[in-house]
């Protein structure tokens, strides 16, 4: 396989620019042209996905004459593009991957695999046409993607780098974040495409869906509950700020507490000082998370589920661990109002309905059928309706509400939530023949007393376990009508006219054929897949879309779907259900505001930013420095009047360590990396120095399992300078205490005690504490100064059973050596003299103090050893029948006989 030159590639691309694999809107054409002409970082607004642009870029370079690598893709993105373009996947075997790279084409590759392949020269770097980086907001200088791009740019100055991101807010965290990311990506251009961009507005205005916004008021009790929760949140935020005046808590506000990004805001501001916060502060922070979940569930949940959630926090156990908000007057009102939504004044089960349920039913049974009749050319049996929700839980709620009816669904929910029901209101009298009675004997067993309906009995009764599993895992449902619309008025108000579509499990959406209208209920993102909504819109092509919850990204995807429709296709009608003057509306407006502010900050940054060129050999200062260090493999220095040649520093790294940032940082320091599979240690710095790296979580797990003892034993037997490196996360406190880093069943004192035992057992083992991977890289660089490079073959040859030549352990019995080493008076300095000049344990015991002094060359240590060897043990009558010890060393020679 011969690659065409990069110049020929650019020419080939230019000739294909006018053609497009996927049809593009006007703004997408401009983005595609910009990204083809220059390397750059593209940041687009949420919902305005870059997949169409990426489609065309992949199509342009999908040729054996090119080699294009796509990094940092999610599983859904990789599956989507590989299926669409029939791309081949890379093999697990390194030699097979090397052959695949030579065949050319576009490959989605794991960053960790590509790093190893680049270091082992399996990839023809000089012939790489370019690299595409997805989700660029996750790339930092220390990450693996930056490592790959550095290796790529050192040998290939002409290939392209194109980076894509759909998260503008991520670039606002940290100091000069966008400049850091661009420097790590080696790109020169920043392309910003917010929703308020003039070209996007013009493109989307060419064809717009008909939007009907339904502002639904909450019930009186729900409004008061929301006010109580906001009062409690305001109180908690004020208390939190009053006892932490020195901390920057500008972003911790009641407004931000109700947004989805609240946890990220907390993490970014408080993680680094978490161990310095008081217990009171941590309680306030935990309570804010609890209150946020309550206020969100007030909008999303039915009254029965919400009452069950709130009741969990009115217990003596929770009162002991919370900051005291449950003692406030607002909390007392909250508990009373929540119960009032489920039970009436007579203490009968009489829950109120979700306000959106009524509007949803009216849309499906009245509004949409009437709209279809008005159009004339439409037919109700072929109508498709798409209902979009926030999460799987709400999808399940709507599915069961439409199938079972409101009253039966709420009663089922009450039994699932184990609510106490002594009596029910009159409207439930017609629903039941027998109430299910739960006894201790019936727990875990299905009761014979089931809820039955009069009239047309709905057969889709759902068992507890199935219901819960379905609620948490299933993200889409398809329903249809069980009756004709003209018969709706004749039906009982307690009966539902919807039924699940049985074909769903066997068939695809595009293959479903029915003579009745389709109602599809789906989440905005199915299992976190950003492409799921777009794929559903393209395959289902619904005439009516109901946004049961508000979502900025979903609104924009619907706008794009409508703009791409053919002229002859009818316009979609979108119903936007939103609770007016509630936290739901505020959260939606806040998300729009935060994204707008993020883009304004990026636009301002771009106007003053000076990014050096990476093309044609022009690089920034640190890149130049690294390249110079790598090119100068011989360093001539004067030592004692003589010139010595110094090799390029080399570190052997275990393959599993490429999950961490440290190998990338070592390479950036100018140290060569040799990735191999080694059984002893993680990093081999010199022939004598072996390092086992542990994060805090790894350290705790290894101490508990005893694995660390085995690892230290192997290191001490094979290397003269074993090191246990304990590395902290750079975003977490450099402190071994608190619940942040220590599990509940192991305190920091336990860790310290076990580490002390480790140092007693292994006197030569050095413990090194590092606050971050950056500090570790600096330490390794200093340890490498003036020392020899390790031998790769020797490091790979060592295993847990083998020993190294330089230690000379093969001359001794390992069991005897370890036993003698633990005797009082024996140190790491005199152990070798005892093992060399002694013969056996019997011989050692027979020596006098003077003879031991001659061997140890230290009178004090000789007296201690002689005393311990001649102490007479006191008889233990309780264990006379039991042998004392399992193994006897008596008579064994110190030196192995070969």
């Amino acid at each position: 396989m011969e690659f065409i030159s990069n110049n020929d590639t650019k020419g080939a691309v230019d000739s294909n620019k006018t053609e497009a694999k996927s049809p593009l809107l006007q703004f997408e054409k401009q983005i595609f042209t910009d990204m083809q002409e220059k390397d750059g970082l593209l940041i687009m607004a949420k919902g305005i996905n870059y997949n169409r642009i990426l489609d065309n870029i992949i199509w342009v370079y999908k040729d054996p004459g090119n080699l294009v690598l796509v990094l940092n893709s999610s599983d859904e993105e990789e599956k989507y593009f590989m299926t669409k373009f029939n791309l081949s996947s890379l093999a697990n075997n390194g030699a097979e991957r090397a052959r695949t790279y030579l065949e050319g084409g576009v490959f989605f590759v794991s960053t960790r695999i590509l790093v190893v392949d680049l270091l082992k020269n399996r990839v023809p770097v000089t012939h790489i046409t370019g690299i595409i980086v997805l989700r660029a907001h996750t790339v930092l200088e220390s990450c693996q993607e930056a490592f790959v791009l550095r290796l790529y740019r050192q040998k290939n100055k002409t290939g392209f780098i194109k980076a894509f991101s759909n998260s503008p807010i991520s670039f606002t965290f940290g100091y000069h974040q966008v400049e850091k990311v661009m420097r790590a990506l080696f790109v020169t251009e920043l392309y910003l495409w917010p929703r308020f961009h003039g070209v996007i507005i013009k493109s989307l205005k060419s064809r717009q869906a008909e939007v009907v916004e339904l502002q639904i008021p909450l019930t009186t009790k729900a409004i008061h509950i929301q006010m109580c929760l906001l009062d409690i949140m305001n109180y908690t935020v004020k208390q939190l700020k009053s006892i932490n005046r020195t901390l920057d808590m500008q972003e911790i506000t009641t407004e931000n507490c109700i947004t989805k990004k609240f946890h990220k805001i907390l993490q970014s501001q408080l993680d680094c000082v978490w161990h310095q916060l008081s217990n009171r502060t941590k309680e306030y922070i935990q309570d804010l998370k609890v209150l946020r979940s309550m206020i969100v569930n007030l909008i999303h949940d039915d009254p029965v589920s919400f009452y069950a959630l709130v009741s969990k926090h009115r217990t003596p156990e929770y009162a002991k661990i919370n900051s005291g908000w449950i003692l406030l007057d607002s909390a007392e009102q909250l508990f009373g109002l929540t119960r009032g939504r489920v039970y009436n004044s007579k203490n009968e089960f009489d829950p109120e309905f979700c306000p959106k349920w009524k509007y949803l039913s009216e849309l499906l049974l009245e509004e949409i059928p009437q709209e279809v009749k008005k159009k004339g050319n439409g037919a109700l049996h072929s109508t498709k309706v798409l209902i979009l929700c926030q999460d799987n839980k709400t999808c399940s709620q709507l599915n069961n509400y439409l199938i079972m009816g409101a009253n039966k669904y709420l009663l089922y929910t009450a039994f699932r939530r184990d609510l106490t029901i002594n009596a029910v209101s009159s409207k439930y009298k017609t629903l039941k023949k027998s109430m299910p009675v739960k006894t201790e004997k019936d727990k875990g067993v299905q009761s014979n007393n089931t809820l039955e309906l009069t009239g047309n009995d709905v057969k889709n009764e759902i068992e507890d376990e199935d219901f819960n599993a379905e609620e948490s895992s299933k993200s889409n449902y398809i329903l249809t009508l069980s009756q004709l619309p003209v018969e709706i008025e004749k039906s009982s108000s307690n009966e539902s006219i919807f039924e699940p579509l049985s074909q769903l499990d066997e068939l695809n959406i595009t293959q479903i054929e029915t003579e009745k209208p389709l109602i599809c209920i789906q989440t905005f993102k199915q299992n976190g897949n950003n492409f799921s909504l777009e794929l559903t819109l393209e395959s289902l092509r619904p005439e009516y879309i109901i946004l049961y919850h508000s979502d900025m990204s979903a609104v924009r995807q619907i706008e794009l779907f409508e703009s791409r429709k053919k002229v002859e296709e009818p316009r979609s009608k979108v119903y936007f259900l939103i609770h007016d003057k509630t936290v739901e509306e505020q959260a939606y407006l806040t998300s729009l505001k935060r994204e707008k502010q993020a883009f304004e900050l990026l636009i301002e940054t771009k106007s003053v930013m000076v990014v050096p060129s990476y093309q044609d050999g022009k690089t920034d200062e640190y890149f130049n420095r690294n390249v110079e260090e790598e090119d100068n493999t011989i360093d001539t220095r004067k030592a004692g009047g003589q010139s010595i040649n110094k090799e390029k520093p080399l570190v052997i790294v275990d393959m599993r360590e490429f999950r961490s940032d440290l190998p990338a940082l070592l390479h950036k320091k100018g140290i060569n990396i040799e990735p191999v599979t080694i059984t002893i240690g993680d990093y081999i710095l010199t022939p004598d120095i072996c390092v086992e790296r542990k994060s805090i979580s790894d350290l705790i797990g290894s101490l508990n399992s005893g694995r660390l003892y085995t690892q230290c034993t192997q290191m001490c037997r094979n290397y003269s300078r074993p090191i246990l490196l304990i590395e902290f996360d750079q975003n977490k406190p450099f402190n071994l205490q608190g619940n942040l880093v220590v599990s509940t069943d192991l305190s920091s004192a336990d860790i310290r005690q076990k580490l002390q035992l480790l140092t007693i057992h292994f006197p030569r083992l050095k413990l090194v504490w590092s606050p971050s991977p950056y500090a570790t890289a600096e330490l390794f660089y200093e340890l490498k100064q003036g020392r020899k490079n390790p031998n790769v073959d020797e490091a790979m040859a060592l295993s847990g059973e083998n020993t190294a030549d330089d230690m000379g352990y093969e001359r001794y019995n390992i069991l005897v050596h370890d036993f003698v080493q633990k005797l009082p008076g024996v140190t790491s300095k005199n152990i070798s003299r005892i093992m060399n000049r002694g013969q056996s344990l019997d011989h050692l015991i027979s020596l006098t103090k003077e003879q031991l002094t001659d061997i140890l060359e230290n009178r004090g240590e000789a007296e201690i050893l002689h005393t311990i060897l001649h102490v007479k043990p006191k008889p233990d009558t309780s264990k006379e029948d039991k042998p004392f010890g399992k193994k006897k060393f008596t008579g064994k020679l110190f030196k192995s006989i070969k």
Side-chain angles (χ1 to χ4, degrees):
M1 168 65 214
E2 292 185 2
F3 287 88
I4 59 176
S5 69
N6 287 314
N7 293 332
D8 294 338
T9 304
K10 289 177 181 176
V13 171
D14 290 336
S15 65
N16 286 323
K17 268 186 186 177
T18 54
E19 303 175 19
K21 174 67 178 174
S22 300
L24 299 177
L25 298 175
Q26 185 60 42
F27 75 92
E28 290 175 327
K29 290 178 182 176
Q30 185 173 334
I31 295 172
F32 175 67
T33 305
D34 292 342
M35 291 297 286
Q36 281 295 96
E37 288 179 352
K38 289 185 179 180
D39 290 1
L41 167 62
L42 171 65
I43 304 176
M44 302 182 73
K46 274 197 177 296
I48 304 178
N49 294 329
Y50 51 71
N51 57 315
R52 294 278 177 148
I53 299 153
L54 195 55
D55 273 353
N56 287 277
I57 291 176
I58 292 175
W59 177 72
V60 165
Y61 290 104
K62 185 180 173 291
D63 184 90
N66 299 316
L67 176 58
V68 176
L69 305 174
V70 184
L71 300 179
N72 205 28
S73 61
S74 64
D75 293 339
E76 292 81 14
E77 286 174 325
E78 183 175 344
K79 183 179 178 182
Y80 169 79
F81 289 110
M82 288 187 71
T83 304
K84 185 166 186 176
F85 292 97
N86 195 24
L87 301 176
S88 57
S89 57
L90 291 169
N92 293 327
N93 183 273
E96 292 180 16
R97 285 201 304 273
R99 287 194 294 270
T100 308
Y101 291 133
L102 290 172
E103 293 173 0
V106 179
F107 297 103
F108 282 77
V109 57
S110 160
T111 311
R112 178 169 165 258
I113 289 175
L114 186 56
V115 166
V116 175
D117 287 347
L118 286 168
L119 291 171
K120 286 188 169 292
N121 296 319
R122 292 173 183 154
V123 187
V125 182
T126 55
H127 293 101
I128 294 177
T129 310
I131 293 180
I132 297 172
V133 183
L134 306 183
R135 297 185 299 161
H137 53 275
T138 63
V139 174
L140 293 174
E141 289 184 33
S142 60
C143 284
Q144 300 294 335
E145 289 76 21
F147 190 11
V148 166
L149 295 173
R150 194 181 309 120
L151 292 170
Y152 166 60
R153 268 290 175 251
Q154 285 174 355
K155 296 181 181 178
N156 187 329
K157 303 293 194 300
T158 55
F160 68 76
I161 297 174
K162 305 183 190 303
F164 298 83
S165 175
N166 259 125
S167 181
I169 294 177
S170 300
F171 290 94
T172 61
F173 294 114
Y175 185 69
H176 284 184
Q177 188 79 351
V178 69
E179 292 100 319
K180 291 178 182 178
V181 172
M182 289 181 68
R183 194 176 294 117
L185 291 168
F186 297 100
V187 295
T188 58
E189 297 293 330
L190 176 62
Y191 301 107
L192 302 174
W193 286 85
R195 173 61 180 84
F196 55 81
H197 196 290
V199 182
I200 293 181
I201 293 173
K202 185 178 178 181
S203 297
L204 297 183
K205 270 190 176 180
S206 60
R207 181 186 173 111
Q208 292 179 306
E210 183 182 350
V211 180
V212 178
E213 184 176 338
L214 300 176
Q215 295 185 342
I216 303 169
L218 285 175
T219 61
T220 305
K221 290 177 181 175
I223 291 172
H224 288 148
I225 290 173
Q226 179 181 263
M227 290 174 63
C228 291
L229 285 170
L230 288 173
D231 285 344
I232 298 170
M233 290 179 82
N234 273 321
Y235 165 80
T236 308
V237 169
K238 285 180 181 177
Q239 290 296 110
L240 184 63
K241 291 185 175 182
S242 67
I243 62 175
N244 295 279
R245 296 182 183 278
T246 58
L247 291 180
D248 179 17
M249 292 194 173
Q250 185 178 356
E251 291 292 322
I252 301 177
T253 62
T254 306
E255 181 183 354
N256 286 337
C257 284
I258 61 177
T259 61
K260 286 191 233 177
K261 299 285 184 183
F262 176 60
H263 295 292
K264 287 188 177 179
I265 294 171
L266 275 180
Q267 185 177 356
S268 64
Q269 294 209 337
L270 300 179
D271 257 7
C272 56
V273 293
W274 185 259
H275 65 293
Q276 299 174 3
L277 301 179
S278 64
N279 290 334
R280 191 75 169 168
T281 300
K282 293 175 183 178
E283 288 172 0
Y284 283 131
I285 292 168
Q286 184 60 36
D287 287 343
L288 277 179
K289 294 179 181 179
V290 171
L291 293 167
R292 180 191 177 276
S293 70
M294 282 189 185
I295 207 164
V296 169
N297 281 289
L298 172 66
I299 305 296
H300 293 180
D301 271 1
D302 57 85
V304 175
S305 298
F306 182 72
Y307 173 62
L309 172 68
V310 173
S311 298
K312 290 179 182 177
H313 298 92
R314 200 180 190 185
T315 60
E317 293 77 18
Y318 181 74
K320 294 176 183 177
I321 61 171
N322 89 103
S323 61
W325 67 265
I326 62 172
L327 302 176
L328 299 174
D329 292 339
S330 297
E332 194 62 34
Q333 294 177 30
L334 166 68
F335 295 131
L337 290 166
T338 305
R339 179 179 174 81
R341 295 178 74 205
V342 179
Y343 300 95
N344 59 22
S345 57
K346 299 177 183 178
N347 202 25
E348 295 175 335
F349 181 75
D350 186 17
E352 62 184 29
F353 297 160
C354 290
K356 286 186 179 181
W357 286 359
K358 176 185 174 184
Y359 285 80
L360 180 64
S361 297
E362 288 178 356
L363 286 175
L364 294 176
L365 302 178
E366 298 175 16
E367 179 79 18
I368 292 177
Q370 289 175 6
E371 286 283 336
V372 174
K373 288 180 183 177
K374 287 179 184 177
K375 290 182 179 178
N377 58 347
L380 185 60
H381 64 80
S382 62
T383 303
K384 296 172 185 175
V385 182
L386 177 62
I387 304 174
L388 295 174
C389 306
Q390 185 73 43
D391 49 28
N392 296 355
K393 188 177 177 182
T394 310
C395 275
S396 176
Q397 177 198 119
L398 293 184
N399 175 65
N400 290 291
Y401 159 69
L402 293 175
I403 292 174
M404 302 163 68
N407 291 334
K408 183 180 177 184
Y409 170 68
L410 289 172
L411 196 55
Y412 260 106
T413 306
F415 284 118
R416 286 193 304 110
R417 303 287 186 185
D418 293 326
L419 296 189
T420 303
I421 300 177
N422 298 320
V424 294
S425 66
S426 57
K427 64 184 177 184
Y428 286 91
K429 302 290 185 182
T430 58
L431 265 181
K432 72 177 187 69
K433 285 184 178 178
S434 59
M435 294 291 292
V437 180
K438 283 193 175 182
T439 63
E440 292 297 323
K441 189 182 291 185
D442 294 331
K443 284 186 178 179
V445 182
Q446 186 177 0
S447 174
N448 291 327
N449 298 325
T450 56
L451 193 65
E452 296 178 5
L453 299 182
T454 58
N456 295 326
D457 191 5
V458 178
K459 297 180 181 179
N460 298 301
E461 295 187 359
I462 303 170
E463 295 181 9
D464 233 8
E465 294 92 3
D466 295 339
F467 198 99
N468 288 328
E470 193 178 71
E471 186 179 89
S472 61
S473 61
K474 202 170 179 182
S475 57
N476 58 1
Y477 301 85
I478 293 187
L479 308 177
T480 188
L481 292 175
S482 59
Q483 304 173 39
L484 294 175
V486 293
E487 298 174 355
I488 294 173
E489 296 178 0
K490 300 177 184 178
S491 307
S492 170
S493 60
N494 289 326
E495 297 174 13
S496 173
I497 66 164
F498 297 96
E499 63 181 8
L501 195 65
S502 58
Q503 302 176 54
L504 178 62
D505 294 332
E506 294 84 15
L507 297 176
N508 204 331
I509 290 177
T510 56
Q511 298 172 318
I512 293 174
E513 295 180 3
T514 178
E515 296 180 354
K516 296 178 181 179
L518 282 181
I519 299 143
C520 179
I521 308 172
Q522 180 180 311
T523 55
F524 297 125
K525 295 180 184 178
Q526 290 190 46
N527 302 319
N529 183 3
N530 293 318
F531 294 158
S532 61
L533 178 55
E534 184 175 346
L535 295 174
T536 301
L537 290 170
E538 290 294 334
S539 56
L540 187 65
R541 307 199 76 79
E543 293 91 351
Y544 298 93
I545 302 171
I546 300 174
L547 284 168
Y548 192 79
H549 291 142
S550 55
D551 186 81
M552 175 177 66
S553 177
V555 170
R556 291 166 178 173
Q557 289 182 67
I558 293 170
E559 285 183 311
L560 288 172
F561 166 68
E562 188 65 31
S563 300
R564 290 194 175 99
K565 275 187 176 180
K566 296 178 182 178
V567 180
E568 59 271 15
E569 281 190 83
R571 285 201 307 166
S572 298
K573 190 165 186 177
V574 180
Y575 295 94
F576 199 106
L577 306 185
I578 191 166
H579 286 298
D580 187 26
K581 297 178 182 178
T582 63
V583 292
E584 181 187 25
E585 183 182 39
Q586 183 60 48
Y588 179 71
L589 295 174
T590 302
S591 62
L592 290 172
K593 173 186 169 186
R594 285 175 62 83
E595 188 189 77
K596 183 173 180 288
Q597 289 175 343
F599 268 115
E600 288 173 349
L601 178 62
L602 289 171
I603 292 168
E604 182 182 349
T605 303
K606 182 181 178 180
S607 65
V608 298
M609 185 170 58
V610 178
V611 181
S613 173
Y614 299 97
Q615 300 291 338
D616 304 323
K618 296 178 182 178
T619 56
D620 68 339
E621 183 182 347
Y622 88 83
F623 184 58
N624 257 331
R625 184 175 67 250
N626 285 346
V627 172
E628 287 172 8
E629 287 177 356
E630 299 213 354
D631 288 340
N632 297 330
T633 54
I634 297 178
D635 181 23
T636 304
R637 297 183 180 181
K638 295 290 181 181
Q642 296 179 353
S643 64
I644 59 170
N645 290 335
K646 185 191 174 187
E647 296 179 287
K648 181 75 167 61
L650 172 72
V651 171
I652 298 173
V653 182
D654 185 50
M655 296 284 256
R656 291 161 293 190
E657 279 297 303
F658 282 92
R659 297 187 184 97
S660 70
D661 295 339
L662 187 53
L665 293 171
L666 289 174
H667 186 270
K668 188 179 172 185
K669 294 288 293 182
I671 298 174
N672 278 351
I673 303 296
E674 184 65 37
V676 295
T677 301
I678 50 179
T679 56
I680 299 174
D682 294 325
Y683 297 85
I684 311 298
L685 304 186
T686 70
D688 300 329
I689 301 177
C690 174
V691 180
E692 179 71 31
R693 188 187 71 89
K694 295 287 183 186
S695 64
I696 294 299
S697 57
D698 290 341
L699 179 69
I700 294 171
S702 299
L703 284 171
N704 286 339
S705 66
R707 183 168 173 265
L708 184 57
Y709 182 88
T710 305
Q711 291 172 329
C712 292
T713 301
Q714 293 174 354
M715 283 199 300
C716 290
R717 287 176 181 169
N718 291 276
Y719 294 93
S720 59
R721 295 184 179 181
I723 295 175
L724 174 61
L725 172 72
I726 302 171
E727 189 176 84
F728 286 73
D729 188 340
Q730 59 189 356
N731 299 318
K732 299 290 176 67
F734 183 38
N735 191 285
L736 190 66
Q737 66 176 17
N739 294 330
L740 185 68
V741 294
V742 179
S743 55
T744 54
D745 60 340
L746 189 70
S747 67
S748 57
D750 293 331
I751 297 176
R752 288 195 295 270
Q753 289 168 7
K754 290 187 177 183
L755 288 175
Q756 287 168 359
L757 285 174
L758 203 67
T759 55
I760 292 171
H761 280 288
F762 305 101
R764 287 186 294 104
L765 179 69
K766 307 297 182 186
L767 263 62
V768 177
W769 302 81
S770 175
S772 70
Y774 290 92
T776 306
E778 190 67 35
L779 171 68
F780 282 10
Y781 184 78
E782 291 178 5
L783 288 174
K784 288 291 297 178
Q785 297 299 314
R787 290 186 171 92
K788 294 180 181 180
N789 284 333
N791 188 294
V792 178
D793 295 332
E794 289 181 3
M796 293 178 66
L798 293 177
S799 66
E801 292 77 27
N802 298 334
T803 53
D805 293 335
D806 60 323
M807 282 301 295
Y809 268 105
E810 73 280 358
R811 298 184 292 121
Y812 307 133
N813 282 323
I814 293 174
L815 290 175
V816 178
H817 178 276
D818 290 347
F819 175 76
V820 174
Q821 190 178 33
K822 292 175 176 58
L823 292 175
V826 179
T827 64
S828 57
K829 296 180 180 179
N830 60 32
I831 180 67
S832 59
R833 289 196 288 271
I834 295 176
M835 297 302 292
N836 289 331
R837 297 171 66 178
Q839 297 176 10
S840 67
L841 288 174
D842 285 345
H843 175 253
L844 187 65
I845 293 172
S846 65
L847 296 176
T848 63
K849 284 186 183 180
E850 289 72 18
Q851 290 172 323
L852 285 175
T853 303
D854 292 339
I855 294 174
L856 299 181
E857 299 177 2
N858 185 298
R859 180 174 295 278
E861 292 171 353
E863 288 180 357
I864 294 172
L865 179 59
H866 185 270
T867 303
I868 200 66
L869 289 175
H870 293 84
V871 169
K872 293 182 179 180
K874 295 180 180 180
D876 187 357
T877 56
S878 63
K879 297 183 180 179
E880 287 180 353
D881 56 334
K882 296 182 181 179
F884 181 80
K886 296 180 180 179
K887 295 183 180 179
K888 295 182 179 180
F889 294 101
T890 306
K892 284 202 175 185
L893 298 177
F894 283 0
K895 296 183 181 180
S896 301
I897 300 174
K898 293 186 178 179

